[in-house]
PDB file of all heavy atoms in Angstrom:
ATOM      1  N   ASP G 645     -63.425 -54.088 -50.472  1.00 98.00           N
ATOM      2  CA  ASP G 645     -63.299 -53.419 -49.165  1.00 98.00           C
ATOM      3  C   ASP G 645     -62.603 -52.088 -49.445  1.00 98.00           C
ATOM      4  O   ASP G 645     -61.578 -52.075 -50.127  1.00 98.00           O
ATOM      5  CB  ASP G 645     -62.438 -54.294 -48.237  1.00 98.00           C
ATOM      6  CG  ASP G 645     -62.333 -53.713 -46.840  1.00 98.00           C
ATOM      7  OD1 ASP G 645     -61.909 -52.541 -46.713  1.00 98.00           O
ATOM      8  OD2 ASP G 645     -62.675 -54.421 -45.884  1.00 98.00           O
ATOM      9  N   TRP G 646     -63.132 -50.982 -48.929  1.00 98.00           N
ATOM     10  CA  TRP G 646     -62.539 -49.679 -49.268  1.00 98.00           C
ATOM     11  C   TRP G 646     -61.058 -49.624 -48.915  1.00 98.00           C
ATOM     12  O   TRP G 646     -60.273 -49.000 -49.612  1.00 98.00           O
ATOM     13  CB  TRP G 646     -63.270 -48.531 -48.562  1.00 98.00           C
ATOM     14  CG  TRP G 646     -62.939 -48.410 -47.098  1.00 98.00           C
ATOM     15  CD1 TRP G 646     -63.583 -49.015 -46.075  1.00 98.00           C
ATOM     16  CD2 TRP G 646     -61.858 -47.675 -46.510  1.00 98.00           C
ATOM     17  NE1 TRP G 646     -62.995 -48.709 -44.883  1.00 98.00           N
ATOM     18  CE2 TRP G 646     -61.921 -47.877 -45.109  1.00 98.00           C
ATOM     19  CE3 TRP G 646     -60.844 -46.858 -47.015  1.00 98.00           C
ATOM     20  CZ2 TRP G 646     -61.018 -47.299 -44.218  1.00 98.00           C
ATOM     21  CZ3 TRP G 646     -59.936 -46.285 -46.120  1.00 98.00           C
ATOM     22  CH2 TRP G 646     -60.031 -46.509 -44.743  1.00 98.00           C
ATOM     23  N   ASP G 647     -60.677 -50.355 -47.847  1.00 97.00           N
ATOM     24  CA  ASP G 647     -59.329 -50.234 -47.330  1.00 97.00           C
ATOM     25  C   ASP G 647     -58.365 -51.153 -48.069  1.00 97.00           C
ATOM     26  O   ASP G 647     -57.286 -50.734 -48.493  1.00 97.00           O
ATOM     27  CB  ASP G 647     -59.381 -50.586 -45.830  1.00 97.00           C
ATOM     28  CG  ASP G 647     -58.087 -50.263 -45.133  1.00 97.00           C
ATOM     29  OD1 ASP G 647     -57.297 -49.497 -45.709  1.00 97.00           O
ATOM     30  OD2 ASP G 647     -57.870 -50.786 -44.026  1.00 97.00           O
ATOM     31  N   THR G 648     -58.810 -52.396 -48.256  1.00 98.00           N
ATOM     32  CA  THR G 648     -57.861 -53.390 -48.756  1.00 98.00           C
ATOM     33  C   THR G 648     -58.080 -53.787 -50.214  1.00 98.00           C
ATOM     34  O   THR G 648     -57.178 -54.306 -50.854  1.00 98.00           O
ATOM     35  CB  THR G 648     -57.958 -54.657 -47.890  1.00 98.00           C
ATOM     36  OG1 THR G 648     -59.337 -55.062 -47.874  1.00 98.00           O
ATOM     37  CG2 THR G 648     -57.485 -54.387 -46.478  1.00 98.00           C
ATOM     38  N   ASN G 649     -59.287 -53.578 -50.735  1.00 98.00           N
ATOM     39  CA  ASN G 649     -59.561 -54.063 -52.094  1.00 98.00           C
ATOM     40  C   ASN G 649     -60.612 -53.155 -52.767  1.00 98.00           C
ATOM     41  O   ASN G 649     -61.693 -53.591 -53.119  1.00 98.00           O
ATOM     42  CB  ASN G 649     -60.077 -55.511 -51.996  1.00 98.00           C
ATOM     43  CG  ASN G 649     -60.080 -56.200 -53.345  1.00 98.00           C
ATOM     44  OD1 ASN G 649     -59.444 -55.732 -54.298  1.00 98.00           O
ATOM     45  ND2 ASN G 649     -60.815 -57.297 -53.445  1.00 98.00           N
ATOM     46  N   PRO G 650     -60.278 -51.880 -52.931  1.00 98.00           N
ATOM     47  CA  PRO G 650     -61.316 -50.905 -53.311  1.00 98.00           C
ATOM     48  C   PRO G 650     -61.798 -50.984 -54.761  1.00 98.00           C
ATOM     49  O   PRO G 650     -62.887 -50.506 -55.069  1.00 98.00           O
ATOM     50  CB  PRO G 650     -60.641 -49.555 -53.061  1.00 98.00           C
ATOM     51  CG  PRO G 650     -59.171 -49.828 -53.167  1.00 98.00           C
ATOM     52  CD  PRO G 650     -58.977 -51.223 -52.683  1.00 98.00           C
ATOM     53  N   TYR G 651     -60.977 -51.573 -55.641  1.00 98.00           N
ATOM     54  CA  TYR G 651     -61.352 -51.537 -57.062  1.00 98.00           C
ATOM     55  C   TYR G 651     -62.271 -52.688 -57.481  1.00 98.00           C
ATOM     56  O   TYR G 651     -62.760 -52.691 -58.606  1.00 98.00           O
ATOM     57  CB  TYR G 651     -60.092 -51.586 -57.939  1.00 98.00           C
ATOM     58  CG  TYR G 651     -59.198 -50.384 -57.751  1.00 98.00           C
ATOM     59  CD1 TYR G 651     -58.021 -50.470 -57.023  1.00 98.00           C
ATOM     60  CD2 TYR G 651     -59.547 -49.151 -58.296  1.00 98.00           C
ATOM     61  CE1 TYR G 651     -57.200 -49.361 -56.836  1.00 98.00           C
ATOM     62  CE2 TYR G 651     -58.736 -48.030 -58.118  1.00 98.00           C
ATOM     63  CZ  TYR G 651     -57.572 -48.151 -57.389  1.00 98.00           C
ATOM     64  OH  TYR G 651     -56.779 -47.048 -57.215  1.00 98.00           O
ATOM     65  N   ALA G 652     -62.471 -53.648 -56.565  1.00 98.00           N
ATOM     66  CA  ALA G 652     -63.187 -54.862 -56.984  1.00 98.00           C
ATOM     67  C   ALA G 652     -64.674 -54.564 -57.185  1.00 98.00           C
ATOM     68  O   ALA G 652     -65.408 -54.260 -56.237  1.00 98.00           O
ATOM     69  CB  ALA G 652     -62.998 -55.949 -55.926  1.00 98.00           C
ATOM     70  N   ILE G 653     -65.105 -54.638 -58.427  1.00 98.00           N
ATOM     71  CA  ILE G 653     -66.485 -54.282 -58.763  1.00 98.00           C
ATOM     72  C   ILE G 653     -67.076 -55.394 -59.625  1.00 98.00           C
ATOM     73  O   ILE G 653     -66.361 -56.006 -60.429  1.00 98.00           O
ATOM     74  CB  ILE G 653     -66.531 -52.909 -59.480  1.00 98.00           C
ATOM     75  CG1 ILE G 653     -67.976 -52.428 -59.666  1.00 98.00           C
ATOM     76  CG2 ILE G 653     -65.799 -52.927 -60.815  1.00 98.00           C
ATOM     77  CD1 ILE G 653     -68.086 -50.962 -60.068  1.00 98.00           C
ATOM     78  N   THR G 654     -68.355 -55.660 -59.444  1.00 98.00           N
ATOM     79  CA  THR G 654     -69.049 -56.637 -60.278  1.00 98.00           C
ATOM     80  C   THR G 654     -70.169 -55.908 -61.001  1.00 98.00           C
ATOM     81  O   THR G 654     -70.930 -55.154 -60.380  1.00 98.00           O
ATOM     82  CB  THR G 654     -69.642 -57.767 -59.400  1.00 98.00           C
ATOM     83  OG1 THR G 654     -68.555 -58.421 -58.747  1.00 98.00           O
ATOM     84  CG2 THR G 654     -70.416 -58.766 -60.235  1.00 98.00           C
ATOM     85  N   ILE G 655     -70.235 -56.116 -62.310  1.00 98.00           N
ATOM     86  CA  ILE G 655     -71.282 -55.461 -63.092  1.00 98.00           C
ATOM     87  C   ILE G 655     -72.139 -56.559 -63.705  1.00 98.00           C
ATOM     88  O   ILE G 655     -71.620 -57.462 -64.362  1.00 98.00           O
ATOM     89  CB  ILE G 655     -70.662 -54.565 -64.188  1.00 98.00           C
ATOM     90  CG1 ILE G 655     -69.740 -53.525 -63.533  1.00 98.00           C
ATOM     91  CG2 ILE G 655     -71.759 -53.875 -65.015  1.00 98.00           C
ATOM     92  CD1 ILE G 655     -68.936 -52.687 -64.495  1.00 98.00           C
ATOM     93  N   GLU G 656     -73.443 -56.512 -63.435  1.00 98.00           N
ATOM     94  CA  GLU G 656     -74.314 -57.573 -63.956  1.00 98.00           C
ATOM     95  C   GLU G 656     -75.685 -56.997 -64.290  1.00 98.00           C
ATOM     96  O   GLU G 656     -76.075 -55.949 -63.776  1.00 98.00           O
ATOM     97  CB  GLU G 656     -74.436 -58.707 -62.929  1.00 98.00           C
ATOM     98  CG  GLU G 656     -74.948 -58.254 -61.582  1.00 98.00           C
ATOM     99  CD  GLU G 656     -74.590 -59.225 -60.445  1.00 98.00           C
ATOM    100  OE1 GLU G 656     -73.777 -60.135 -60.650  1.00 98.00           O
ATOM    101  OE2 GLU G 656     -75.143 -59.044 -59.348  1.00 98.00           O
ATOM    102  N   SER G 657     -76.414 -57.694 -65.143  1.00 98.00           N
ATOM    103  CA  SER G 657     -77.754 -57.251 -65.539  1.00 98.00           C
ATOM    104  C   SER G 657     -78.773 -58.319 -65.192  1.00 98.00           C
ATOM    105  O   SER G 657     -78.525 -59.504 -65.445  1.00 98.00           O
ATOM    106  CB  SER G 657     -77.820 -57.033 -67.061  1.00 98.00           C
ATOM    107  OG  SER G 657     -77.139 -55.874 -67.400  1.00 98.00           O
ATOM    108  N   ASN G 658     -79.906 -57.901 -64.637  1.00 97.00           N
ATOM    109  CA  ASN G 658     -80.973 -58.846 -64.290  1.00 97.00           C
ATOM    110  C   ASN G 658     -82.317 -58.268 -64.674  1.00 97.00           C
ATOM    111  O   ASN G 658     -82.532 -57.065 -64.481  1.00 97.00           O
ATOM    112  CB  ASN G 658     -81.007 -59.087 -62.771  1.00 97.00           C
ATOM    113  CG  ASN G 658     -79.790 -59.826 -62.290  1.00 97.00           C
ATOM    114  OD1 ASN G 658     -79.294 -60.717 -62.963  1.00 97.00           O
ATOM    115  ND2 ASN G 658     -79.285 -59.427 -61.136  1.00 97.00           N
ATOM    116  N   PRO G 659     -83.233 -59.106 -65.159  1.00 98.00           N
ATOM    117  CA  PRO G 659     -84.588 -58.599 -65.397  1.00 98.00           C
ATOM    118  C   PRO G 659     -85.274 -58.321 -64.056  1.00 98.00           C
ATOM    119  O   PRO G 659     -85.116 -59.094 -63.107  1.00 98.00           O
ATOM    120  CB  PRO G 659     -85.280 -59.745 -66.142  1.00 98.00           C
ATOM    121  CG  PRO G 659     -84.445 -60.949 -65.905  1.00 98.00           C
ATOM    122  CD  PRO G 659     -83.075 -60.511 -65.520  1.00 98.00           C
ATOM    123  N   VAL G 660     -86.017 -57.228 -63.977  1.00 98.00           N
ATOM    124  CA  VAL G 660     -86.754 -56.915 -62.738  1.00 98.00           C
ATOM    125  C   VAL G 660     -88.119 -56.336 -63.097  1.00 98.00           C
ATOM    126  O   VAL G 660     -88.330 -55.865 -64.221  1.00 98.00           O
ATOM    127  CB  VAL G 660     -86.003 -55.899 -61.836  1.00 98.00           C
ATOM    128  CG1 VAL G 660     -84.710 -56.470 -61.293  1.00 98.00           C
ATOM    129  CG2 VAL G 660     -85.741 -54.587 -62.573  1.00 98.00           C
ATOM    130  N   THR G 661     -89.021 -56.379 -62.116  1.00 98.00           N
ATOM    131  CA  THR G 661     -90.338 -55.731 -62.257  1.00 98.00           C
ATOM    132  C   THR G 661     -90.663 -55.072 -60.925  1.00 98.00           C
ATOM    133  O   THR G 661     -89.884 -55.151 -59.971  1.00 98.00           O
ATOM    134  CB  THR G 661     -91.442 -56.762 -62.555  1.00 98.00           C
ATOM    135  OG1 THR G 661     -91.587 -57.578 -61.392  1.00 98.00           O
ATOM    136  CG2 THR G 661     -91.136 -57.619 -63.770  1.00 98.00           C
ATOM    137  N   ALA G 662     -91.848 -54.492 -60.875  1.00 98.00           N
ATOM    138  CA  ALA G 662     -92.267 -53.805 -59.651  1.00 98.00           C
ATOM    139  C   ALA G 662     -92.415 -54.756 -58.467  1.00 98.00           C
ATOM    140  O   ALA G 662     -92.471 -54.316 -57.314  1.00 98.00           O
ATOM    141  CB  ALA G 662     -93.583 -53.075 -59.903  1.00 98.00           C
ATOM    142  N   THR G 663     -92.458 -56.059 -58.735  1.00 98.00           N
ATOM    143  CA  THR G 663     -92.599 -56.993 -57.605  1.00 98.00           C
ATOM    144  C   THR G 663     -91.257 -57.581 -57.167  1.00 98.00           C
ATOM    145  O   THR G 663     -91.204 -58.393 -56.245  1.00 98.00           O
ATOM    146  CB  THR G 663     -93.551 -58.157 -57.978  1.00 98.00           C
ATOM    147  OG1 THR G 663     -93.005 -58.819 -59.108  1.00 98.00           O
ATOM    148  CG2 THR G 663     -94.950 -57.661 -58.288  1.00 98.00           C
ATOM    149  N   THR G 664     -90.190 -57.146 -57.815  1.00 98.00           N
ATOM    150  CA  THR G 664     -88.865 -57.690 -57.461  1.00 98.00           C
ATOM    151  C   THR G 664     -88.370 -57.105 -56.134  1.00 98.00           C
ATOM    152  O   THR G 664     -88.560 -55.918 -55.863  1.00 98.00           O
ATOM    153  CB  THR G 664     -87.839 -57.334 -58.564  1.00 98.00           C
ATOM    154  OG1 THR G 664     -88.308 -57.827 -59.807  1.00 98.00           O
ATOM    155  CG2 THR G 664     -86.458 -57.900 -58.264  1.00 98.00           C
ATOM    156  N   THR G 665     -87.717 -57.954 -55.358  1.00 98.00           N
ATOM    157  CA  THR G 665     -86.965 -57.468 -54.196  1.00 98.00           C
ATOM    158  C   THR G 665     -85.493 -57.538 -54.576  1.00 98.00           C
ATOM    159  O   THR G 665     -84.981 -58.612 -54.907  1.00 98.00           O
ATOM    160  CB  THR G 665     -87.231 -58.362 -52.971  1.00 98.00           C
ATOM    161  OG1 THR G 665     -88.623 -58.314 -52.696  1.00 98.00           O
ATOM    162  CG2 THR G 665     -86.468 -57.865 -51.755  1.00 98.00           C
ATOM    163  N   LEU G 666     -84.845 -56.392 -54.546  1.00 98.00           N
ATOM    164  CA  LEU G 666     -83.445 -56.329 -55.006  1.00 98.00           C
ATOM    165  C   LEU G 666     -82.508 -56.437 -53.807  1.00 98.00           C
ATOM    166  O   LEU G 666     -82.551 -55.598 -52.905  1.00 98.00           O
ATOM    167  CB  LEU G 666     -83.228 -54.992 -55.727  1.00 98.00           C
ATOM    168  CG  LEU G 666     -81.892 -54.788 -56.418  1.00 98.00           C
ATOM    169  CD1 LEU G 666     -81.791 -55.671 -57.662  1.00 98.00           C
ATOM    170  CD2 LEU G 666     -81.724 -53.324 -56.814  1.00 98.00           C
ATOM    171  N   PRO G 667     -81.657 -57.468 -53.773  1.00 98.00           N
ATOM    172  CA  PRO G 667     -80.689 -57.527 -52.672  1.00 98.00           C
ATOM    173  C   PRO G 667     -79.539 -56.556 -52.940  1.00 98.00           C
ATOM    174  O   PRO G 667     -79.076 -56.433 -54.075  1.00 98.00           O
ATOM    175  CB  PRO G 667     -80.193 -58.984 -52.720  1.00 98.00           C
ATOM    176  CG  PRO G 667     -80.502 -59.472 -54.083  1.00 98.00           C
ATOM    177  CD  PRO G 667     -81.521 -58.577 -54.719  1.00 98.00           C
ATOM    178  N   LEU G 668     -79.104 -55.863 -51.912  1.00 98.00           N
ATOM    179  CA  LEU G 668     -77.954 -54.964 -52.043  1.00 98.00           C
ATOM    180  C   LEU G 668     -76.904 -55.430 -51.049  1.00 98.00           C
ATOM    181  O   LEU G 668     -77.192 -55.529 -49.849  1.00 98.00           O
ATOM    182  CB  LEU G 668     -78.353 -53.520 -51.719  1.00 98.00           C
ATOM    183  CG  LEU G 668     -79.410 -52.867 -52.602  1.00 98.00           C
ATOM    184  CD1 LEU G 668     -79.811 -51.503 -52.045  1.00 98.00           C
ATOM    185  CD2 LEU G 668     -78.895 -52.704 -54.037  1.00 98.00           C
ATOM    186  N   GLU G 669     -75.740 -55.732 -51.557  1.00 98.00           N
ATOM    187  CA  GLU G 669     -74.663 -56.164 -50.661  1.00 98.00           C
ATOM    188  C   GLU G 669     -73.530 -55.166 -50.762  1.00 98.00           C
ATOM    189  O   GLU G 669     -72.868 -55.074 -51.791  1.00 98.00           O
ATOM    190  CB  GLU G 669     -74.192 -57.567 -51.053  1.00 98.00           C
ATOM    191  CG  GLU G 669     -75.231 -58.593 -50.664  1.00 98.00           C
ATOM    192  CD  GLU G 669     -74.873 -60.000 -51.082  1.00 98.00           C
ATOM    193  OE1 GLU G 669     -73.697 -60.249 -51.396  1.00 98.00           O
ATOM    194  OE2 GLU G 669     -75.789 -60.837 -51.088  1.00 98.00           O
ATOM    195  N   LEU G 670     -73.352 -54.413 -49.718  1.00 98.00           N
ATOM    196  CA  LEU G 670     -72.374 -53.332 -49.743  1.00 98.00           C
ATOM    197  C   LEU G 670     -71.153 -53.745 -48.927  1.00 98.00           C
ATOM    198  O   LEU G 670     -71.276 -54.193 -47.791  1.00 98.00           O
ATOM    199  CB  LEU G 670     -72.981 -52.057 -49.155  1.00 98.00           C
ATOM    200  CG  LEU G 670     -74.397 -51.682 -49.630  1.00 98.00           C
ATOM    201  CD1 LEU G 670     -74.891 -50.436 -48.910  1.00 98.00           C
ATOM    202  CD2 LEU G 670     -74.422 -51.433 -51.132  1.00 98.00           C
ATOM    203  N   ALA G 671     -70.003 -53.547 -49.537  1.00 98.00           N
ATOM    204  CA  ALA G 671     -68.743 -53.861 -48.843  1.00 98.00           C
ATOM    205  C   ALA G 671     -68.447 -52.755 -47.834  1.00 98.00           C
ATOM    206  O   ALA G 671     -69.027 -51.662 -47.912  1.00 98.00           O
ATOM    207  CB  ALA G 671     -67.620 -53.938 -49.878  1.00 98.00           C
TER     208      ALA G 671
END
Side-chain angles (χ1 to χ4, degrees):
D645 184 304
W646 76 270
D647 190 17
T648 54
N649 193 16
Y651 296 104
I653 188 167
T654 298
I655 302 173
E656 57 201 11
S657 286
N658 292 322
V660 294
T661 67
T663 59
T664 303
T665 300
L666 187 71
L668 298 173
E669 287 177 16
L670 314 177

